[in-house]
């Protein structure tokens, strides 16, 4: 009985998941950079007898430290510099409406609407929207030095300090982060082939998808007009492209390993050797491969693996002068890449503008954020509570949609703030103001990148004392800051939970079935395309497969976010999760069948392809028609010898899962 009682008192997993530190290494370079970027401006401000100026520069540096999350230098320039420009605009608007009552409420509400809408464009736009709103809130809540342009200038200077420290290694490590990312992708592919035929294959495949997406995002961050001028970038792109045939062959290799035993160790060993070559930037002499890798006569899946591997060896060891860029034509700058990679910057800008203005989710999130910020600012501006920008600040952080579940982030924000305030209280109570602030700030700033890798609650605990110390330098309230900030944070979390979560049915009525149904319908289209004519010479198939895997990765991320929500969303997501896995296995099986056909296996009958696609479309329609799993039955012909047999098997499994008894 005692055992049962203790079990009933255990907090649910969706509530405690974010309180467990993630197993991430300490980024020592980022730790040193943060310590210097936030402490040096304070020292300069004290030396010049302008401590408030130093605090503002450090506050701008804090935004740069939090935003510096990319490994590639090109991405760092965008991730730090672009948001700083929006931050400068935000603090200017906030400063102009400081103490203006309803005008401040209306201005911050409008800024919140714009911030929320542009956050849907992408990672850099999301950071820019966040900083636009944060600095507007700070400008409207704290007195800034005159004239009006002083605060935006100093905040931007702080961001530039972080950018300068970040770029110190660029001359020596110009493409090292990109090379490391591509090499890491090669190693995940090696691990994928090592686990072919084992239960660990699925987990490794997800790691490959994430790593490949990250590598393409880094290498192609400045794709437009880069190929013709940057041979090292073109070389990395070519080395990344040759992984595509290996990844296409992997599902067929997994199927072969399940039936006929593990793959030869030389497959994974060769891919690992290629990873070392990419990372070290070696070229020229080409290593010899065993002849052959597989015993004769080779099966279609084995031929696919061997051909893809030998092609990768050829390209990776090709001298740089032989790797001529293939994508520098004017036409290519205005269309998507054949593998589904980004189009030119102007094209993406037009698409982003259309997505922001015409997208229902963009407007919906913008309105949610605007409502919460409007309520928060009205509370601190017009009601008899201590004036504080922390209420709206808390709402902004909690309501970020691409940062995770609003509910769990509100809980984690409250916990992290309490922990951070304990540390801040000790510092404000025991450390005298003045030059002692410099070493203390260096230590506290160093904790931000170290704790950020562990999770959101830990990041909040590290950022809270830093912001409090910088705020104290601006308004000189000392220890009296601590308790009001705790109340402000709890009020902000409450506003986000009520006005940003509970009042919006989409928050607690999950649309997971809808998203999964879309993935199933796309899978049906992919099955049709994989075995039908492709006038683009295979390019359309490649684009469709890459887009489908990216979409499945997004669906998986949505599921993982939903699993952290309270009931009913979390349990409902857990019930749908096996079906999401089944859909991924269908795509894998279809890819494996396509590779086998391309390397000698008899093609399937068109009627058989149509039957599989029809079953998938019916499954998609059933998923859209219900918020819970519904009973469906597969009606596919029995044929254990055809190339589509594994696909039919996975479709049957998916349709069996989609029932109230889970099969």
């Amino acid at each position: 009985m005692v055992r049962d009682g203790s079990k009933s008192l255990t907090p649910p997993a969706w509530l405690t998941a974010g309180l467990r530190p993630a197993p991430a290494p300490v980024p020592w370079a980022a730790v040193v950079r943060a310590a210097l970027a936030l402490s040096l401006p304070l020292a300069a401000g004290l030396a010049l007898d302008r401590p408030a100026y130093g605090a503002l520069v450090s506050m701008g540096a804090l935004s740069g430290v939090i935003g510096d999350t990319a490994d590639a230098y090109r991405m760092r320039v965008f991730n730090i510099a672009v948001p700083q420009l929006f931050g400068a605009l935000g603090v200017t608007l906030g400063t102009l409406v400081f103490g203006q009552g309803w005008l401040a409420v209306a201005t911050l509400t409008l800024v919140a609407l714009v911030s929320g809408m542009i956050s849907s464009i992408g990672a850099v736009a999301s950071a820019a929207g966040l900083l636009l709103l944060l600095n507007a809130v700070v400008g409207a809540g704290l007195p800034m030095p005159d004239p009006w342009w002083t605060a935006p200038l100093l905040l931007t200077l702080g961001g530039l300090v972080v950018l300068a420290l970040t770029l110190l290694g660029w001359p020596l490590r110009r493409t090292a982060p990109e090379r490391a990312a591509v090499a890491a992708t090669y190693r995940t592919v090696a691990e994928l082939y090592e686990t072919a035929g084992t239960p660990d294959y699925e987990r490794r495949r997800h790691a490959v998808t994430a790593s490949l997406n990250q590598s393409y995002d880094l290498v192609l961050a400045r794709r437009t007009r880069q190929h013709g001028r940057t041979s090292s970038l073109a070389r990395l792109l070519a080395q990344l492209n040759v992984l595509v045939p290996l990844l296409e062959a992997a599902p067929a290799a997994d199927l072969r390993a399940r039936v006929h035993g593990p793959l030869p160790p030389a497959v994974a060993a060769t891919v690992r050797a290629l990873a070392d070559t990419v990372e070290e930037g070696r070229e020229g002499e080409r290593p010899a491969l065993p002849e052959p890798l597989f015993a004769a006569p080779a099966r279609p899946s084995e031929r696919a693996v061997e051909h893809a591997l030998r092609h990768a060896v050829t390209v990776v060891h090709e001298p740089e002068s032989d790797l001529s860029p293939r994508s520098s034509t004017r036409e290519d700058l205005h269309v998507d890449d054949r593998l589904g990679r980004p189009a030119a910057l102007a094209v993406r800008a037009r698409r982003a503008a259309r997505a922001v203005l015409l997208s229902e989710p963009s407007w919906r999130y913008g309105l949610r954020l605007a409502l919460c910020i409007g309520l928060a600012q009205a509370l601190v501006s017009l009601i008899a509570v201590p004036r504080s920008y922390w209420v709206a600040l808390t709402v902004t952080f909690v309501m970020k949609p691409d940062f995770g579940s609003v509910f769990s982030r509100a809980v984690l924000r409250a916990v992290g703030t309490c922990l951070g305030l304990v540390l801040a209280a000790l510092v404000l109570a025991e450390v005298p103001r003045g030059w002692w602030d410099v070493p203390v700030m260096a230590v506290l700033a160093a904790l931000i990148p170290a704790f950020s890798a562990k999770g959101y609650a830990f990041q909040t605990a590290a950022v809270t004392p830093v912001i409090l110390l910088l705020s104290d330098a601006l308004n000189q309230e000392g220890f009296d800051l601590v308790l009001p900030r705790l109340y402000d944070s709890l009020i902000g979390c409450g506003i986000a939970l009520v006005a940003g979560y509970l009042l919006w049915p989409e928050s607690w009525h999950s649309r997971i079935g809808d998203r999964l149904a879309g993935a199933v319908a796309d899978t049906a289209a992919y099955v049709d395309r994989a075995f039908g004519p492709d006038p683009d010479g295979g390019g359309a198939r490649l684009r469709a497969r890459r887009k489908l895997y990216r979409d499945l990765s997004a669906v998986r991320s949505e599921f993982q976010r939903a699993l952290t929500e309270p009931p009913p969303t979390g349990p409902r997501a857990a019930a749908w999760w096996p079906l999401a896995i089944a859909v991924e296995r269908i795509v894998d099986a279809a890819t494996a069948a396509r590779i086998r056909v391309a390397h000698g296996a008899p093609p399937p009958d068109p009627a058989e392809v149509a039957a599989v696609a029809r079953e998938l479309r019916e499954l998609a329609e059933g998923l859209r028609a219900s918020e819970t799993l519904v009973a469906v039955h597969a009606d596919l012909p029995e044929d254990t010898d055809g190339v589509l047999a594994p696909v039919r098997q996975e479709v049957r499994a998916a349709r069996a899962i989609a029932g109230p008894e889970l099969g």
Side-chain angles (χ1 to χ4, degrees):
M1 299 296 292
V2 175
R3 214 173 276 166
D4 292 339
S6 63
K7 194 174 292 187
S8 65
L9 295 176
T10 302
W14 54 265
L15 187 60
T16 60
L19 298 177
R20 291 189 293 269
V26 177
W28 291 110
V31 166
V32 174
R33 193 161 51 244
L36 293 174
L38 271 75
S39 61
L40 291 180
L42 282 184
L46 290 170
L48 297 173
D49 198 25
R50 297 280 188 174
Y53 284 16
L56 282 172
V57 176
S58 292
M59 196 172 288
L62 174 62
S63 302
V65 166
I66 296 175
D68 184 18
T69 57
D71 291 326
Y73 288 108
R74 296 179 186 87
M75 287 299 291
R76 285 177 171 179
V77 172
F78 275 92
N79 283 359
I80 297 174
V82 173
Q84 289 297 325
L85 297 177
F86 281 82
L89 174 61
V91 76
T92 301
L93 293 173
T95 302
L96 293 176
V97 298
F98 174 74
Q100 296 297 315
W102 283 112
L103 180 60
V105 173
T107 300
L108 289 185
T109 301
L110 181 60
V111 170
L113 175 64
V114 175
S115 170
M117 293 182 68
I118 67 176
S119 292
S120 64
I121 296 175
V124 176
S126 177
L130 174 65
L131 205 53
L132 170 70
L133 181 55
L134 286 180
N135 283 6
V137 169
V138 171
L142 284 176
M144 294 293 170
D146 291 325
W148 64 267
W149 47 263
T150 304
L153 179 64
L154 293 174
L155 287 170
T156 304
L157 179 61
L160 295 179
V161 168
V162 178
L163 184 60
L165 292 173
T166 299
L167 299 180
L168 284 177
W170 194 341
L172 299 177
R173 302 179 69 250
R174 188 178 301 271
T175 60
E178 289 91 342
R179 282 203 309 271
V182 175
T185 302
Y186 270 79
R187 292 189 179 100
T188 60
V189 173
E191 293 170 355
L192 181 70
Y193 273 92
E194 277 182 335
T195 58
T198 70
D200 201 35
Y201 174 84
E202 288 296 323
R203 184 173 66 87
R204 295 296 182 185
R205 184 179 61 75
H206 299 142
V208 169
T209 299
S211 181
L212 187 68
N213 289 344
Q214 181 189 25
S215 293
Y216 270 129
D217 289 342
L218 292 180
V219 174
L220 295 168
R222 298 286 300 277
R223 178 174 184 268
T224 305
R225 296 177 177 83
Q226 280 282 342
H227 290 302
R229 299 185 296 144
T230 310
S231 59
S232 59
L233 187 62
R235 178 175 180 78
L236 281 173
L237 181 59
Q239 292 170 341
L240 193 55
N241 285 345
V242 296
L243 280 176
V244 174
L246 272 172
L247 293 178
E248 285 192 312
D254 175 56
L255 180 62
R256 178 261 181 214
R258 275 187 271 159
V259 177
H260 301 288
L263 301 176
V267 175
T270 303
V271 179
R272 278 204 170 84
L274 293 177
D276 295 337
T277 301
V278 170
E279 190 162 32
E280 296 166 12
R282 291 187 275 112
E283 60 182 45
E285 184 177 350
R286 197 172 302 151
L289 284 176
E291 294 284 353
L293 286 173
F294 296 92
R299 301 175 179 87
S301 58
E302 295 170 346
R303 288 197 294 271
V305 172
E306 183 146 1
H307 290 171
L309 192 56
R310 294 185 186 281
H311 178 52
V313 170
T314 300
V315 172
V316 168
H317 289 273
E318 196 74 44
E320 189 166 313
S321 58
D322 293 342
L323 288 174
S324 58
R326 295 178 299 169
S327 303
S328 57
T329 64
R330 177 175 298 274
E331 291 77 15
D332 183 66
L333 296 175
H334 296 280
V335 297
D336 287 343
D337 188 276
R338 60 184 270 113
L339 296 180
R341 298 185 297 259
L345 182 60
V347 176
R348 282 178 282 160
R350 289 196 298 270
R351 291 175 180 172
R354 285 199 301 268
V356 167
L357 296 175
L358 303 179
S359 167
E360 180 185 346
S362 172
W363 278 97
R364 188 164 53 238
Y365 171 64
L367 290 172
R368 287 172 66 180
L369 183 57
L371 173 63
C372 293
I373 291 295
L375 290 174
Q377 191 62 24
L379 181 68
V380 302
S381 297
L382 304 174
I383 300 179
V385 297
R387 179 180 298 279
S388 171
Y389 64 95
W390 266 54
V391 177
L393 196 78
T394 299
V395 168
T396 303
F397 277 116
V398 171
M399 286 293 295
K400 285 296 290 178
D402 48 342
F403 285 174
S405 159
V406 169
F407 187 93
S408 62
R409 283 175 63 81
V411 174
L412 296 176
R413 176 83 184 178
V415 173
T417 299
C418 291
L419 295 175
L421 286 175
V422 170
L423 180 57
L426 293 174
V427 172
L428 292 173
E430 301 297 333
V431 179
R433 302 277 67 79
W435 283 99
W436 277 105
D437 287 342
V438 177
V440 169
M441 180 60 68
V443 173
L444 294 178
L447 297 178
I448 295 175
F451 279 23
S452 295
K454 302 298 181 183
Y456 178 65
F458 301 94
Q459 183 192 53
T460 302
V463 171
T464 297
V466 172
I467 296 181
L468 276 176
L469 287 182
L470 295 177
S471 300
D472 183 51
L474 291 173
N475 55 24
Q476 304 295 323
E477 291 185 20
F479 187 81
D480 293 338
L481 278 171
V482 176
L483 282 180
R485 293 306 175 260
L486 174 60
Y487 303 149
D488 294 339
S489 293
L490 296 180
I491 292 171
C493 291
I495 290 174
L497 283 176
V498 175
Y501 182 82
L502 295 178
L503 294 183
W504 300 81
E506 67 193 54
S507 301
W508 34 276
H509 285 309
S510 173
R511 300 173 63 195
I512 288 175
D514 236 10
R515 293 182 176 91
L516 192 55
V520 173
D522 290 343
T523 303
Y526 173 69
V527 169
D528 275 335
R529 177 163 288 174
F531 302 99
D534 192 348
D536 195 17
R541 291 193 192 104
L542 285 175
R543 286 195 298 273
R545 190 186 67 82
R546 280 289 296 142
K547 180 179 182 302
L548 184 54
Y549 273 113
R550 276 185 177 266
D551 291 346
L552 288 174
S553 179
V555 170
R556 170 175 284 269
S557 298
E558 185 67 26
F559 265 91
Q560 290 170 338
R561 182 185 306 172
L563 289 172
T564 66
E565 296 277 11
T569 301
R572 187 173 295 159
W576 287 86
W577 181 250
L579 185 57
I581 300 299
V583 173
E584 293 177 346
R585 292 180 61 88
I586 292 171
V587 178
D588 273 352
T591 300
R594 175 66 221 171
I595 291 301
R596 291 174 63 200
V597 170
H599 288 82
D605 187 280
E608 187 181 12
V609 174
V612 171
R614 183 181 65 251
E615 290 289 329
L616 287 171
R617 290 190 179 94
E618 290 176 3
L619 175 59
E621 292 170 3
L623 296 178
R624 287 196 179 95
S626 175
E627 288 192 3
T628 58
L629 295 175
V630 295
V632 291
H633 305 284
D635 185 22
L636 292 170
E638 293 292 339
D639 180 3
T640 59
D641 299 324
V643 72
L644 285 185
V647 181
R648 292 198 307 275
Q649 179 182 350
E650 297 297 349
V651 172
R652 287 195 190 93
R655 301 203 70 164
I657 290 171
E661 303 297 328
L662 295 184

